[in-house]
Structures are given as C-alpha cells and as structure tokens.
Amino acid sequence: MIVETNIDELKKRENSLKIIKGIIHSRGRNQLHDLTGLSGGFLLKKEDLNLLETYVGPALFEDQLQLIGKKHLGGEKILGVNRTSSGILATIMALVRPDSYVIHYLPQLPSHPSIPRSTKLIGANYLEFDNLKDFYIPDNTSLIVITGSTMDHQVITIEEFKEIIKITKSRKNHDPIDKYSQTYDEIPVMVDDASGARLRTIIFNQPSAIELGADLVVTSTDKLMDGPRGGLMAGKKYLINKIKSKAHQFGLEAQPPMVAGMVRGLENFNPENLLKSLEKKQKLLECLNKNFNGFELTPTGIMITPEALNSEIENRGIKILLSDNDISFTWAMILLREYGLVTIPSVGMPGASATLRFDLAASDAKNLKLSNLVEIINSSFESLLNVVDNPEKCQDIIFN
Ligand SMILES: *Cc1c(COP(=O)(O)O)cnc(C)c1O
C-alpha cells in the first residue's frame, strides 16, 4: 500500500497544499476549483476586525452565536468549538466514564474516526451499528452517538433516528458520571450532524436533531454553508455547561475570530442557494455515464467509491497493483496537479474518506461550467489509466 499510515496521509496532504500554493502563485486562485464542499468561508465585515481580541471578541460574538446558533440548531445553549471533532472529543471527555460504552448508530459504515478515537483515548469501549436489527445498548453505557449524515453523505432515515431515541430513552444510565444532575439516570444522545444539520433538514426535509429528541448536536460550520472549519454545538444547558468546561480545560473551544466567522456564515446561510446548486447534478451524472458505470448521485453532487473505481479500471482490462484507496488518492492528486481540482482524498485530514466526491454546492462549483467539469473528469481519468499499472509512479504522484 502506498498510503498506509496517518503519517502517509499527512505527507499526502502536505504535498497537496504545496501544489495548491504553486497553482495560486503561477495561475491565480480562480484556476483552482475547490469541490470538497468544505469552503472555509470567512465572511467577516470590516468593523468585525477590530473586535477580535481575546476577551472583547467573546463578549460580543459569543452572544450573537447563542442567538443565531439556536435558530439554526435549536437547543437551550450553544457552544462554539474548534472543529466538529473537538466537540465530539469534549463531549466524550465530559460525559463518558472509563470502561463504560459509547454506542454509535450510523446509516452506513465507516464512521468518522473522531468518535472511536476519542472513546479509546479516555479508556472506554466502543460499539458501532449500521442497522437496527443488530443494535443494542449494553448496561454499562454512558453515551449514544447518532450520525445524521455520514462523511459520504449517507443520510439516516427518520424512522431509524426515532427508533434509536426511543430505545435509548427507555433505558437507564446505571452509573452516571454526575449523580446530582437533573436527569442523571438518562443516557445522553449526541448527534453528529456535521453535514446533516443542513443536508438532512433542507434536502431531506427532516426535523432537526433536537426536534427529534437528541440531547446534544454538533455540526460543522464548514459543510454546506460558508463558514470557517469549526464546530457548532447545541443542546441541554447542563450538558453543554459540562462540555464547555472540558473544552476550556483542553483548549478545544473556538477562538474569537472563528466565532465571528461562524456568526457571519450563519447570517449568510440561505437554503435556497443550496437547493438551486443541486439542479445540475443529474445532468452531470448523465454526461459521465457515457464513459463510466461507477458514479453515483450524492445529495449535493456526485461521487465514485474506491471500490467502484477499481471496477472501472478492471473493466478496461488493466491489471491493478494498487489498493482501492491508493487508486482513488492517485486520481485525486492528478485532478489537483493537472486541473487544479480540489477534492477530499487529496487534501483531507488523516482518516478522511477516500471516496472521490464532486460537490456542486461548493461555491467554486458555480464558476465551473458543467462541460468543463466533464472534460476534466474524463481526461484526468485517462491520465490515471496511464499510470495505474505502475505503483512507483503513483507513489511519486501522491507524495511529490
Ligand atoms: C466532517 C465530519 C466530521 C468532522 O469534522 P471536522 O471539521 O473534520 O472535525 C465528523 N463527522 C462527520 C459525519 C463528518 O462528516
């Protein structure tokens, strides 16, 4: 395998950032097309800049975040954290006892690595389920996590969501972390709605996580909206207070510039724009189907999984010496290097999905003609076919 460890993933990411820098310097930002769907928007106003101080900023922006955050997610109290992963870590540190269980339900594996990793870090046990048939809650459980929409944009059904909440609420928390809290005998439910807070609600017309009975929800202000890469949490006040205290102790909370960016991103958020940008995806799929079998629609664009990509290449009679993920990484690096097209497999954090997703809700997607995108995908695939039987060359493309 070419990309095997977290360190390999880091090296790949650093190489991608170097390539991006090169493109910006030689060809300009507009020759770069970020279709990750993670825009890192920072829509600050001029007057905001003077207020980004350590203690002045929070006094203003945190208050605004309470108001606009509740409007977006519901809940009694809001907490801004550095990333969605930080919110998940802070929650697990605050609410989970060592040796107890964290139970995770998601519509389809794999889960986001921050959930099992945080659980392991504090010495608790982790079980994950992607179907109701197998789902159960061991006696010694301190936290239930539901993923509303996965990294690959698989969305939970509302029936599954309600069933997990129902099962959880029928159970008791036998050894709660805080016996003096008002609902000490309940097992809290946290929803990882990183993209789901917008995807589930706007595109799938589902109620918010809080409306469905969750105690806590975390979303990424970077996904399907123009905010910075940060995490926005909401939920029951006494739970948020515990999590906030942990977040402060370990430096996981969002800093004033991020909080300001989240506020402006939420102010700017318009569901109409999201719906409009999706009209193109069916057309894109039709164009690609002339050449491929493996592309599928996602709620916000199209994707091809590493396994489907492998079949595309095998079907063309080419012998494959790479792992499925490595093929996907190689294609992503060709897309970046030759066409300035940014996707998650090239720039993602270690553990991010290797699925190649082209997100049409991304703001750069508006400036890229559909015919150009089809042309880019077709010709970069030809480049991939030329190197895929040569692992050394692929390794070079990924790391150098
Ligand atoms: C993106 C995502 C995360 C993590 O977001 P970060 O900003 O990388 O911390 C967690 N869970 C799911 C389901 C995601 O899609």
Side-chain angles (χ1 to χ4, degrees):
M1 271 211 321
I2 299 175
V3 179
E4 202 166 357
T5 65
N6 284 342
I7 304 293
D8 294 338
E9 292 195 65
L10 211 64
K11 269 169 56 190
K12 164 172 68 67
R13 180 176 144 83
E14 284 179 355
N15 184 31
S16 299
L17 297 186
K18 206 171 72 195
I19 296 170
I20 289 175
K21 181 176 153 198
I23 294 175
I24 289 176
H25 282 163
S26 61
R27 295 184 252 161
R29 171 65 182 87
N30 64 0
Q31 289 307 303
L32 207 60
H33 313 291
D34 181 348
L35 299 189
T36 59
L38 303 171
S39 68
F42 221 78
L43 306 167
L44 290 197
K45 297 178 182 165
K46 220 171 180 171
E47 64 264 28
D48 295 341
L49 295 176
N50 295 326
L51 301 171
L52 298 179
E53 299 154 55
T54 302
Y55 295 111
V56 176
L60 288 155
F61 295 118
E62 284 197 13
D63 208 42
Q64 293 180 32
L65 193 67
Q66 288 300 323
L67 294 175
I68 198 157
K70 278 184 213 164
K71 231 168 96 188
H72 195 64
L73 294 176
E76 297 166 2
K77 187 163 179 172
I78 296 292
L79 170 63
V81 281
N82 188 48
R83 274 174 53 188
T84 299
S85 301
S86 324
I88 289 167
L89 175 60
T91 302
I92 289 176
M93 283 201 295
L95 304 181
V96 177
R97 280 168 283 110
D99 294 325
S100 69
Y101 278 89
V102 171
I103 305 299
H104 182 196
Y105 189 86
L106 68 168
Q108 192 185 78
L109 294 166
S111 77
H112 191 271
S114 61
I115 302 165
R117 281 179 189 158
S118 301
T119 306
K120 191 165 170 215
L121 189 69
I122 65 139
N125 308 299
Y126 174 80
L127 292 177
E128 59 188 14
F129 301 95
D130 65 359
N131 65 80
L132 282 174
K133 200 161 67 339
D134 299 333
F135 181 80
Y136 77 101
I137 301 178
D139 277 345
N140 186 19
T141 295
S142 357
L143 179 70
I144 305 289
V145 180
I146 297 174
T147 290
S149 156
T150 66
M151 294 185 284
D152 288 338
H153 286 180
Q154 294 294 324
V155 174
I156 194 169
T157 66
I158 195 153
E159 290 76 25
E160 286 171 292
F161 202 128
K162 285 181 172 164
E163 190 60 24
I164 300 297
I165 297 271
K166 199 173 110 195
I167 297 171
T168 307
K169 295 299 166 192
S170 73
R171 296 291 300 270
K172 273 201 175 344
N173 194 348
H174 286 285
D175 185 15
I177 202 159
D178 176 3
K179 296 192 166 117
Y180 304 103
S181 76
Q182 25 185 320
T183 56
Y184 66 88
D185 58 347
E186 285 185 7
I187 307 172
V189 178
M190 174 184 65
V191 176
D192 175 359
D193 240 357
S195 59
R198 285 155 301 287
L199 197 55
R200 277 194 318 100
T201 56
I202 293 158
I203 299 176
F204 288 77
N205 270 315
Q206 294 185 6
S208 73
I210 299 288
E211 283 167 338
L212 286 168
D215 302 296
L216 293 163
V217 57
V218 59
T219 191
S220 167
T221 55
D222 200 13
K223 293 182 176 166
L224 303 150
M225 61 174 277
D226 293 328
R229 183 164 195 173
L232 185 74
M233 288 200 79
K236 299 226 166 98
K237 190 168 175 182
Y238 74 95
L239 292 174
I240 291 282
N241 284 342
K242 279 175 177 299
I243 296 164
K244 188 169 184 176
S245 159
K246 275 287 181 217
H248 283 313
Q249 289 169 46
F250 291 91
L252 302 170
E253 80 279 11
Q255 297 304 299
M258 287 264 290
V259 176
M262 288 179 185
V263 168
R264 297 299 177 227
L266 287 164
E267 278 175 354
N268 196 57
F269 177 65
N270 180 354
E272 289 284 307
N273 292 346
L274 187 55
L275 291 168
K276 245 189 255 159
S277 61
L278 305 181
E279 288 163 8
K280 287 202 283 190
K281 70 178 184 181
Q282 189 70 43
K283 183 95 195 291
L284 176 59
L285 184 68
E286 278 163 29
C287 294
L288 290 172
N289 279 349
K290 290 179 192 147
N291 197 13
F292 298 94
N293 302 310
F295 276 96
E296 316 167 37
L297 289 177
T298 72
T300 58
I302 56 153
M303 68 170 193
I304 183 163
T305 64
E307 298 74 34
L309 177 55
N310 179 308
S311 315
E312 287 291 344
I313 294 170
E314 240 168 22
N315 291 345
R316 286 163 173 82
I318 295 174
K319 192 153 160 243
I320 299 176
L321 302 164
L322 301 179
S323 73
D324 295 354
N325 282 4
D326 283 341
I327 303 173
S328 195
F329 291 141
T330 306
W331 194 6
M333 295 306 286
I334 293 171
L335 280 163
L336 177 60
R337 199 184 292 266
E338 295 182 13
Y339 301 93
L341 212 128
V342 188
T343 54
I344 303 264
S346 61
V347 295
M349 301 290 175
S353 169
T355 293
L356 260 173
R357 212 151 39 79
F358 299 88
D359 200 311
L360 299 179
S363 62
D364 280 2
K366 293 182 198 81
N367 310 323
L368 193 61
K369 273 207 223 121
L370 206 67
S371 53
N372 285 353
L373 182 54
V374 173
E375 170 61 24
I376 288 174
I377 292 174
N378 282 330
S379 22
S380 61
F381 185 70
E382 288 305 314
S383 308
L384 176 67
L385 291 180
N386 288 332
V387 295
V388 76
D389 57 354
N390 185 340
E392 261 157 50
K393 213 163 191 174
C394 293
Q395 178 158 7
D396 201 47
I397 290 174
I398 290 174
F399 292 132
N400 302 302

